[in-house]
Amino acid sequence: MKTKNIFKNAVILILFALAAFTGCKSNNVTGPNQNQEANFQISQRNGVNNSIEFLFKPSADAKILRVVCRFQEQQFVDTITNNNPNYLFSKDSIYTINEYINVAAGQQWQFDFTGNTPAGNSPYKVTSNYTVQ
């Protein structure tokens, strides 16, 4: 009788483990080569008239459909839509997101990148946080 209970419990434990393993999806977004996480490194440079330009560099080649820039403290949101969703942003280049005025050191900005990987056109959404220098 004990053997039946141990076997039954082992089967139940294996079923729960399989359900948990197959039911959980990773929040990581893979790059086009499907083996690295795609992310976007944010930086800044001075613009004209005391403005700040935010820049990004992708960790892997990526197609970007939209970037949403947020400065929560002032409830500021700016959505930038790419007019050419098939354009391939190279991992070896730095690109301008946009230029903003009244940006000060210490501000916490958030950038949400939405797009597709070039090879499989798998959709992704990645958030990059940035503290203004």
Side-chain angles (χ1 to χ4, degrees), residues 4 10 50 64 92 95 104 109 121:
K4 281 186 177 180
N50 295 322
I64 300 172
D92 299 319
Y95 302 92
W109 283 69
N121 280 328

Side-chain angles (χ1 to χ4, degrees), residues 27-86:
N27 287 332
N28 292 340
V29 176
T30 55
N33 60 8
Q34 301 300 314
N35 66 4
Q36 69 181 17
E37 186 175 329
N39 61 51
F40 298 88
Q41 179 183 2
I42 307 296
S43 59
Q44 72 183 63
R45 68 179 172 201
N46 292 329
V48 295
N49 299 322
N50 295 322
S51 65
I52 294 290
E53 286 184 349
F54 289 110
L55 313 166
F56 74 92
K57 181 178 181 184
S59 64
D61 295 344
K63 294 179 182 178
I64 300 172
L65 303 174
R66 177 177 42 261
V67 180
V68 178
C69 309
R70 301 177 196 279
F71 179 46
Q72 298 289 1
E73 187 177 304
Q74 293 182 2
Q75 298 178 349
F76 173 80
V77 177
D78 184 22
T79 300
I80 302 161
T81 302
N82 184 2
N83 292 331
N84 182 2
N86 291 316

Side-chain angles (χ1 to χ4, degrees), residues 6 14 19 22 24 35-36 38 40 51 53 57 62 67 74 78 82 90-91 93 99-100 102 113 115 117 119 125 127:
I6 291 172
I14 290 170
T22 58
C24 294
N35 66 4
Q36 69 181 17
F40 298 88
S51 65
E53 286 184 349
K57 181 178 181 184
V67 180
Q74 293 182 2
D78 184 22
N82 184 2
S90 170
K91 66 182 173 101
S93 298
E99 183 175 7
Y100 300 100
N102 299 324
F113 293 84
T117 56
K125 182 175 181 183
T127 298

